[in-house]
Each structure stands twice: as C-alpha cells, then as structure tokens.
Amino acid sequence: SKTERSKTESSKTEKSKTEKSKTERSKAHENDAAYEISVRPALRSVELIERAWEEAEKDLPPPLWDDDENWEKRLSFSDKRYNSWVWEKRDLVSDDFRDSYYNIEEHGGKGPDCDFVEWHHSTFPSCNNMHEINMSNPDEQLISYGYYRNVWVGKSETYVIKSLVYNHEYGMENFEFVRMDALVMERLTSSPLVVDIYDHCGTTIVAEAVHHEIEEKMVPGDGVPPKEGLNDANDVKPRNKFNVTQKLTIALEMAESLADLHGFKDGVIVHDDVQPCQWLRTSDGVLKINDFNRAEIMLWNGNEGKYCRYYNGKVSGNYRAPEENQDHLLNEKIDIYSFGNNIYTLLTGLWNYYDYSDDDKLVQEMVNKNTLPFIDPRYKNHTFGEGVLVRLLERCFVYEPDDRADIFEIVHILRVAMREQLSLVAKKKEKNKIIINNKLAQIDKLMAAY
C-alpha cells in the first residue's frame, strides 16, 4: 500500500542518516584517539591508556618479562595494580630490576620454606594529596633531620612531612625503607600508641605531628657525667628529673607500644631501631612510637609453625644486640635488648657505655663479649620502682636471644609493678625498706615463673 511504501522509504532515509552519523562519529573518535595518544597526560579512559601505551611501547622498558614467549602474560599497564606490583621470584631471576633487598629476602637466613605474610608488599600511595603541597615555596618549616630524612612541620602544626635527605639516591632501597614506614603505620592505625599516617608517595610521607620528644628528658644534656663526677658517694643520683612513678609509667608506655608491633595479629613486626628518640608525646599526654623505616615484617614457616629469622647485614651504633653486631640470625628479641638500653637511660639519665660514647666499635666489642654497661648496685633496692627496672634491664640484657625476656613478660611485670607502686605512694610507704624488699622478692618470684 501507499502508506507502507512511505514507511519503507522513511526507514531507508533514517538508516542512511544513522550510518552517515556513525561514520562521522567514528572519524571523530579516531581523531580524538590520535590526539589523546599524542598528548599522553590527557588520557581519560582505560581503553585510551592501553592504546597510548601500545603506541609508545618502543620507548618503554619491559615491565616484567623481556622475552616474546611471556610478553602476553605481563600485567597490563592499565591494571590498577601495575604500580604496586608484588614481584615474585620468577620476575626477579634475570632482569635489571633485581636489587640487594630482594637478594637478602631470597638468600638470607629465612630459607626456602619461609613465606611473606599476605600484606608484606602492600602499598597505599596517596600521591594526589601529596602533590597539593608546594615544596618549591613551602609554608612548612624544616624542624629536624636525620641520616635519611628531613622533617617539615605544617603551617597548622597538625602534620609533619618526612622527605628523603637530598644527598641520598632515589633508589629501590630508599623507596622500600619509606614504604615500610608507611605500611607499618597503616597496619597499626587502630593502635593509639603508634603515630598516625596521613599520606604516602614515593620517598615521602605525611604523618601526625607529635611535638614533645621524650629523649631529651630521659637523657638530659650530653648524657655523660660532669667532669667533677656524679657526687653520688652517699646515694645514687640519677641525671634526669623523673620520680620513680614517672619512670615506671614511661617504661610501661614504651613497652606497651612495642608490644603492639610484636603482638600484631597479622604477623610479628620488628622495629629494628629501638632508642629513646623513637618515642614522642602528644599534647594530650599519649606516648607514641614512630619511625618504622628499618622495620622487619617477619616471614612465616608453615612447615615448622614458627617465624623465620633473618639477617640485617652490617649495623652501626652502640645500642644494638650482640647478635646484630655479629650479623647472626635475628628475630624480635633484638628490640628487647635495645629496650634494655632504654631502661638504663630512664633509670640513670646517662647513655649506656657513657665512658666510650664516641667509640662505637669498642662498645660493640664489649657487647659481643657480654660486658654490660655499669649500673650502680644500689639501684637494685634503692626504691621499689628502681629495683623493678634493674631486674627488667637484666632480663633484657640476657646474651642468648632465646633466653631473653619477650615484650609481653616485660609488660606484665611493669603492670604489676605500677599497681604496687601506686599502692605504696597512696599509703606513703614508698621509702619503707622492709616493705620494698618484700615486694621486690614477690617480683623476683613472678619473674622466675617465666
């Protein structure tokens, strides 16, 4: 019929228009794609990203494999996991990306049956936030620096930026140090005793600003006796101004934060650099631990049902355990030995081995021979709290790691001691020698049970 013919002609016309429109759109899209490829920073979609990378492939280093057989098995450049790829042994056998960190991981003391915990190589970069900070003309002020990093405080003084010191190379090892620092803070976000992280990108982190250092109060001045000596012929004279209750409190605070690392539910974390400067006190009075760039996430041996020990390589300083100085197999007990030095400084207000503080090599030799820093024997029953600290110090300085106290024993003893100390203070009996000796005898029995 006339009507049907009209509909057919109309349909053909519409179809022709549609095809013409599709052709025009297709050409326009080709032009768009060519434009997007020529200016790669303007990429807006996964498809365009893939096309751009394919176009630029000749200029790129092979991401994981450099042979044709495995080329198609590579992780796609557009995959969101590409920049946080967890490398496997097969990726590291014969390529240029291998470095000393992975050599140590594979060939160290861990052994072939030792596996990374699931989150060991996780990373959570937030580079966009970081790039909003203009460090070419910063509002932030440089407030501190160490061997590896500079510390800048934000204008609001609520955050700090830790950036790599400029004379260090931007190599894999330094990226890994900072990633580890960021990862440990992220994993321990739920702990009120660990500094909070806000951002991480490359070799820089933004973290909670904690303003009060505890080290300068634990060890006033240079941490050595004055030229005229300690003048302690009649009684012990600690160089810091903490009272006994404060010393026990600080020791417990440090121990509890360290226990959050050693007792982390998803795997033991070794701090690996325990010293007083790693603890900072917030404005509301909370003592927090920080600086995890040397941290070690221990591997797990499923066949033997235990954590694998590891090597650290050459170490420096006079605060480390004998097994570290001698490059033996290590575990979390290295933190305990160093924590013993913290107790020493807290108790005396002096650095350990203060007579040899400028000769790390000599101190390491003394530690290796089990020559302990001098502690005035009068501290052992001078007061109840000081007596407890001396006993814990001795448990920390045990030469053999397996016989050394763990952090949970230390926390337990300190909690018991705090309760007893507060009771003595409340009853005004903290100077009663008979009561002090009786209570210290009870502590001895409790420690013997371990």
XYZ file of all heavy atoms in Angstrom, residues 94-155:
516
model
N 66.189 -12.942 36.256
C 67.212 -12.486 35.312
C 66.875 -11.134 34.707
O 66.962 -10.953 33.504
C 67.374 -13.521 34.192
O 66.139 -13.676 33.506
N 66.438 -10.206 35.530
C 66.170 -8.893 34.949
C 66.916 -7.800 35.699
O 67.550 -8.033 36.721
C 64.656 -8.605 34.901
C 64.018 -8.536 36.273
O 64.704 -8.189 37.262
O 62.831 -8.834 36.370
N 66.838 -6.592 35.173
C 67.620 -5.486 35.707
C 67.007 -4.849 36.932
O 67.599 -3.956 37.522
C 67.800 -4.410 34.627
C 68.612 -4.929 33.466
O 69.421 -5.837 33.700
O 68.427 -4.428 32.345
N 65.803 -5.284 37.319
C 65.133 -4.648 38.445
C 65.545 -5.257 39.782
O 65.223 -4.739 40.824
C 63.604 -4.768 38.292
C 63.072 -3.970 37.140
C 62.863 -4.561 35.908
C 62.798 -2.625 37.277
C 62.378 -3.818 34.843
C 62.316 -1.879 36.227
C 62.101 -2.476 34.998
N 66.252 -6.356 39.728
C 66.639 -7.033 40.965
C 67.591 -6.138 41.772
O 68.471 -5.487 41.219
C 67.325 -8.348 40.640
C 67.538 -9.238 41.854
C 68.234 -10.521 41.421
N 68.305 -11.444 42.535
C 67.428 -12.379 42.768
N 66.392 -12.520 41.970
N 67.555 -13.196 43.782
N 67.441 -6.114 43.075
C 68.336 -5.312 43.906
C 68.662 -6.063 45.178
O 68.197 -7.160 45.418
C 67.728 -3.933 44.212
C 66.663 -4.003 45.280
O 66.051 -5.073 45.421
O 66.449 -2.993 45.959
N 69.502 -5.438 46.016
C 70.004 -6.120 47.206
C 68.897 -6.496 48.171
O 68.975 -7.496 48.872
C 71.027 -5.237 47.919
O 70.442 -4.001 48.302
N 67.820 -5.702 48.213
C 66.722 -6.001 49.139
C 66.144 -7.382 48.844
O 65.963 -8.200 49.730
C 65.632 -4.945 49.035
C 64.386 -5.265 49.840
C 64.383 -5.085 51.220
C 63.243 -5.753 49.241
C 63.262 -5.383 51.969
C 62.116 -6.052 49.979
C 62.126 -5.863 51.341
O 61.016 -6.153 52.073
N 65.873 -7.653 47.564
C 65.273 -8.934 47.217
C 66.297 -10.061 47.294
O 65.949 -11.196 47.588
C 64.644 -8.848 45.815
C 63.401 -7.995 45.828
C 63.439 -6.666 45.429
C 62.202 -8.508 46.289
C 62.303 -5.876 45.478
C 61.062 -7.731 46.343
C 61.114 -6.420 45.929
O 59.991 -5.638 45.994
N 67.567 -9.761 47.027
C 68.596 -10.775 47.216
C 68.627 -11.246 48.660
O 68.701 -12.436 48.941
C 69.969 -10.202 46.854
C 70.254 -10.288 45.370
O 70.011 -11.312 44.757
N 70.750 -9.210 44.803
N 68.550 -10.287 49.588
C 68.554 -10.626 51.009
C 67.320 -11.437 51.356
O 67.382 -12.441 52.059
C 68.625 -9.352 51.871
C 69.993 -8.686 51.704
C 68.385 -9.670 53.344
C 70.094 -7.309 52.329
N 66.159 -11.018 50.820
C 64.916 -11.718 51.130
C 64.979 -13.178 50.690
O 64.516 -14.077 51.363
C 63.732 -11.027 50.441
C 63.433 -9.637 50.953
C 62.875 -9.641 52.365
O 62.644 -10.723 52.912
O 62.687 -8.557 52.913
N 65.593 -13.415 49.507
C 65.602 -14.779 48.985
C 66.724 -15.624 49.563
O 66.542 -16.798 49.854
C 65.711 -14.753 47.460
C 65.641 -16.153 46.848
C 65.733 -16.120 45.336
O 65.675 -15.026 44.743
O 65.891 -17.203 44.752
N 67.886 -15.023 49.738
C 69.067 -15.812 50.081
C 69.533 -15.631 51.518
O 70.580 -16.117 51.893
C 70.213 -15.452 49.131
C 69.889 -15.699 47.702
N 69.522 -16.937 47.223
C 69.840 -14.843 46.635
C 69.280 -16.850 45.926
N 69.451 -15.597 45.552
N 68.771 -14.899 52.334
C 69.159 -14.683 53.718
C 68.859 -15.888 54.585
O 68.702 -17.012 54.110
N 68.710 -15.673 55.880
C 68.507 -16.762 56.806
C 67.099 -17.318 56.811
O 66.800 -18.244 57.542
N 66.227 -16.731 56.016
C 64.830 -17.139 56.084
C 64.607 -18.553 55.565
O 63.791 -19.291 56.063
C 63.971 -16.134 55.300
C 64.055 -14.723 55.843
C 63.231 -13.783 54.977
C 63.211 -12.393 55.574
N 64.509 -11.719 55.495
N 65.307 -18.933 54.496
C 65.197 -20.287 53.991
C 64.068 -20.443 52.983
O 63.181 -19.602 52.872
N 64.072 -21.564 52.237
C 63.114 -21.766 51.149
C 61.673 -21.982 51.615
O 60.750 -21.836 50.820
C 63.652 -23.011 50.442
C 64.427 -23.739 51.504
C 65.014 -22.680 52.370
N 61.471 -22.365 52.875
C 60.113 -22.634 53.364
C 59.483 -21.425 54.033
O 58.421 -21.532 54.639
C 60.143 -23.804 54.363
C 60.607 -25.097 53.712
O 60.256 -25.315 52.539
O 61.318 -25.874 54.367
N 60.121 -20.274 53.942
C 59.634 -19.080 54.617
C 58.845 -18.218 53.640
O 59.339 -17.885 52.563
C 60.794 -18.279 55.201
S 61.698 -19.198 56.476
N 57.629 -17.885 54.010
C 56.728 -17.149 53.125
C 56.429 -15.767 53.676
O 56.306 -15.567 54.894
C 55.408 -17.916 52.963
C 55.610 -19.275 52.331
O 56.368 -19.353 51.344
O 55.023 -20.261 52.821
N 56.257 -14.804 52.755
C 55.810 -13.478 53.136
C 54.376 -13.550 53.653
O 53.559 -14.326 53.143
C 55.842 -12.529 51.938
C 57.215 -12.242 51.415
C 57.661 -12.779 50.222
C 58.060 -11.409 52.111
C 58.926 -12.490 49.739
C 59.332 -11.116 51.639
C 59.761 -11.667 50.452
N 54.070 -12.736 54.657
C 52.670 -12.611 55.032
C 51.948 -11.898 53.896
O 52.562 -11.211 53.068
C 52.505 -11.835 56.363
C 53.112 -12.610 57.510
C 53.126 -10.439 56.269
N 50.636 -12.049 53.850
C 49.856 -11.588 52.702
C 50.071 -10.102 52.396
O 50.100 -9.678 51.249
C 48.369 -11.855 52.964
C 47.456 -11.460 51.821
C 45.999 -11.702 52.142
O 45.693 -12.008 53.318
O 45.172 -11.580 51.237
N 50.243 -9.301 53.432
C 50.286 -7.849 53.256
C 51.702 -7.292 53.188
O 51.901 -6.078 53.133
C 49.539 -7.175 54.407
C 49.997 -7.626 55.768
C 49.599 -8.751 56.441
C 50.972 -6.986 56.612
N 50.257 -8.847 57.655
C 51.096 -7.779 57.786
C 51.725 -5.831 56.501
C 51.952 -7.434 58.825
C 52.588 -5.489 57.539
C 52.690 -6.285 58.686
N 52.713 -8.163 53.163
C 54.107 -7.737 53.273
C 54.497 -6.677 52.236
O 55.226 -5.735 52.541
C 55.019 -8.958 53.128
C 56.455 -8.713 53.476
N 57.309 -7.980 52.688
C 57.206 -9.109 54.543
C 58.503 -7.930 53.240
N 58.472 -8.609 54.359
N 54.038 -6.822 51.008
C 54.417 -5.900 49.946
C 53.305 -4.930 49.581
O 53.346 -4.312 48.509
C 54.865 -6.681 48.705
C 56.175 -7.377 48.874
N 56.264 -8.731 49.121
C 57.453 -6.911 48.887
C 57.534 -9.065 49.253
N 58.279 -7.986 49.114
N 52.349 -4.763 50.469
C 51.256 -3.821 50.189
C 51.755 -2.387 50.202
O 52.731 -2.051 50.878
C 50.139 -3.968 51.242
O 49.550 -5.243 51.174
N 51.081 -1.556 49.450
C 51.371 -0.123 49.467
C 50.081 0.629 49.180
O 49.238 0.154 48.415
C 52.459 0.245 48.425
O 52.751 1.629 48.531
C 52.028 -0.064 47.011
N 49.922 1.765 49.822
C 48.690 2.537 49.698
C 49.036 4.008 49.420
O 48.854 4.870 50.262
C 47.856 2.414 50.982
C 47.567 0.988 51.365
C 48.353 0.333 52.305
C 46.528 0.293 50.767
C 48.104 -0.988 52.657
C 46.267 -1.024 51.111
C 47.051 -1.667 52.054
N 49.579 4.278 48.222
C 50.001 5.650 47.923
C 48.816 6.604 47.797
O 47.734 6.212 47.365
C 50.720 5.501 46.578
C 50.120 4.286 45.958
C 49.782 3.361 47.101
N 49.041 7.833 48.202
C 48.033 8.888 48.045
C 48.747 10.116 47.479
O 48.833 11.157 48.122
C 47.359 9.200 49.382
O 48.331 9.390 50.398
N 49.282 9.947 46.280
C 50.155 10.960 45.689
C 49.423 12.251 45.351
O 50.017 13.331 45.392
C 50.829 10.401 44.439
S 52.005 9.059 44.812
N 48.142 12.159 44.988
C 47.412 13.385 44.655
C 47.409 14.350 45.829
O 47.614 15.558 45.668
C 45.974 13.055 44.240
C 45.923 12.434 42.856
O 46.926 12.413 42.151
N 44.766 11.929 42.472
N 47.154 13.817 47.024
C 47.181 14.675 48.213
C 48.572 15.277 48.424
O 48.716 16.453 48.765
C 46.785 13.880 49.456
C 45.331 13.445 49.428
O 44.535 13.996 48.690
N 45.004 12.459 50.237
N 49.590 14.444 48.204
C 50.959 14.899 48.410
C 51.321 16.017 47.447
O 51.997 16.984 47.810
C 51.922 13.722 48.223
C 53.308 13.951 48.719
S 53.407 13.797 50.500
C 53.258 12.029 50.713
N 50.859 15.894 46.194
C 51.236 16.863 45.162
C 50.528 18.207 45.337
O 50.867 19.169 44.634
C 50.936 16.290 43.776
C 51.809 15.125 43.438
N 51.531 14.240 42.419
C 52.966 14.680 44.012
C 52.467 13.319 42.366
N 53.345 13.563 43.329
N 49.581 18.280 46.240
C 48.957 19.567 46.544
C 49.876 20.451 47.402
O 49.621 21.646 47.565
C 47.633 19.354 47.277
C 46.558 18.702 46.404
C 45.294 18.400 47.183
O 45.237 18.763 48.368
O 44.379 17.804 46.602
N 50.926 19.842 47.954
C 51.859 20.592 48.799
C 52.966 21.171 47.928
O 53.656 20.442 47.219
C 52.470 19.674 49.878
C 51.366 19.053 50.734
C 53.445 20.448 50.754
C 51.856 17.962 51.670
N 53.136 22.467 47.947
C 54.142 23.135 47.135
C 55.449 23.231 47.913
O 55.655 24.143 48.710
C 53.646 24.534 46.738
C 54.662 25.266 45.879
O 55.668 24.682 45.446
N 54.422 26.538 45.627
N 56.346 22.282 47.663
C 57.606 22.271 48.399
C 58.665 23.176 47.756
O 59.758 23.328 48.291
C 58.146 20.846 48.500
C 57.284 19.922 49.337
S 57.052 20.505 51.039
C 58.684 20.216 51.721
N 58.347 23.774 46.587
C 59.292 24.726 45.999
C 59.243 26.068 46.726
O 60.204 26.827 46.733
C 58.968 24.937 44.519
O 57.680 25.509 44.372
N 58.101 26.354 47.346
C 57.971 27.564 48.166
C 57.087 27.207 49.363
O 55.967 27.662 49.493
C 57.350 28.697 47.350
C 57.342 30.003 48.125
O 58.114 30.190 49.055
N 56.434 30.897 47.764
N 57.603 26.328 50.227
C 56.727 25.703 51.221
C 56.335 26.615 52.373
O 57.103 27.477 52.796
C 57.589 24.542 51.743
C 58.996 25.016 51.561
C 58.982 25.860 50.323
N 55.100 26.396 52.846
C 54.688 27.011 54.106
C 55.278 26.224 55.271
O 55.376 26.724 56.388
C 53.159 27.012 54.219
C 52.527 27.988 53.229
O 53.154 29.033 52.967
O 51.438 27.698 52.728
N 55.634 24.966 54.975
C 56.185 24.097 56.002
C 57.607 24.521 56.382
O 58.366 24.998 55.534
C 56.200 22.643 55.504
C 54.828 22.022 55.346
C 54.051 22.572 54.179
O 54.677 23.140 53.256
O 52.817 22.472 54.173
N 57.979 24.312 57.624
C 59.309 24.684 58.095
C 60.097 23.434 58.487
O 59.562 22.516 59.096
C 59.201 25.611 59.306
C 58.605 26.978 58.984
C 58.610 27.902 60.189
O 58.807 27.464 61.312
N 58.407 29.186 59.945
N 61.375 23.427 58.118
C 62.252 22.313 58.482
C 62.542 22.385 59.977
O 63.071 23.383 60.468
C 63.555 22.405 57.697
C 64.544 21.258 57.899
C 63.976 19.962 57.347
C 65.871 21.582 57.223
N 62.154 21.336 60.708
C 62.318 21.357 62.159
C 63.317 20.325 62.661
O 63.796 20.414 63.789
C 60.974 21.149 62.885
C 60.325 19.821 62.460
C 60.046 22.319 62.648
C 59.159 19.411 63.314
N 63.608 19.322 61.810
C 64.514 18.276 62.272
C 65.032 17.516 61.053
O 64.481 17.624 59.964
C 63.800 17.321 63.235
O 64.695 16.347 63.729
N 66.087 16.755 61.268
C 66.606 15.914 60.191
C 67.413 14.782 60.802
O 67.914 14.868 61.921
C 67.464 16.724 59.220
C 68.691 17.353 59.842
C 69.899 16.663 59.878
C 68.628 18.627 60.396
C 71.014 17.231 60.460
C 69.750 19.203 60.981
C 70.936 18.497 61.010
O 72.043 19.058 61.585
N 67.496 13.708 60.051
C 68.285 12.558 60.463
C 69.172 12.128 59.314
O 69.389 12.874 58.354
N 69.683 10.906 59.386
C 70.563 10.409 58.330
C 69.802 10.264 57.014
O 70.324 10.576 55.945
C 71.159 9.065 58.743
C 72.049 8.457 57.677
C 73.309 8.993 57.427
C 71.626 7.362 56.928
C 74.123 8.452 56.444
C 72.438 6.810 55.949
C 73.680 7.357 55.713
O 74.477 6.820 54.738
N 68.552 9.780 57.095
C 67.784 9.501 55.891
C 66.818 10.622 55.498
O 66.618 10.885 54.324
C 66.957 8.209 56.066
C 67.752 6.951 55.856
C 68.080 6.124 56.921
C 68.188 6.583 54.588
C 68.819 4.967 56.730
C 68.925 5.434 54.379
C 69.236 4.624 55.455
O 69.974 3.489 55.260
N 66.208 11.287 56.499
C 65.081 12.140 56.138
C 65.105 13.502 56.828
O 65.622 13.631 57.940
C 63.758 11.418 56.459
C 63.541 10.200 55.590
C 62.192 9.582 55.802
N 62.078 8.899 57.063
C 61.010 8.186 57.432
N 59.985 8.085 56.608
N 60.969 7.592 58.591
N 64.509 14.475 56.128
C 64.219 15.776 56.715
C 62.789 15.760 57.239
O 61.919 15.070 56.687
C 64.342 16.883 55.668
C 65.775 17.101 55.225
O 66.686 17.029 56.034
N 65.978 17.379 53.948
N 62.526 16.535 58.281
C 61.180 16.623 58.854
C 60.714 18.075 58.788
O 61.381 18.976 59.304
C 61.147 16.129 60.317
C 59.720 16.184 60.858
C 61.695 14.710 60.417
N 59.588 18.289 58.127
C 58.992 19.613 57.979
C 57.671 19.635 58.730
O 56.910 18.676 58.662
C 58.720 19.920 56.510
C 59.844 19.628 55.567
C 60.294 18.395 55.163
C 60.672 20.587 54.896
N 61.350 18.520 54.295
C 61.596 19.859 54.102
C 60.715 21.980 54.882
C 62.552 20.480 53.312
C 61.664 22.598 54.081
C 62.570 21.860 53.310
N 57.386 20.711 59.433
C 56.106 20.801 60.133
C 55.180 21.709 59.341
O 55.597 22.746 58.803
C 56.272 21.326 61.581
C 56.759 22.767 61.598
C 54.978 21.171 62.372
N 53.905 21.284 59.241
C 52.928 22.060 58.508
C 52.558 23.351 59.216
O 52.774 23.508 60.425
N 52.016 24.292 58.445
C 51.681 25.598 58.991
C 50.711 25.490 60.158
O 50.773 26.242 61.130
C 51.084 26.471 57.885
C 51.029 27.950 58.214
C 50.627 28.749 56.986
C 50.652 30.244 57.280
N 50.266 31.037 56.089
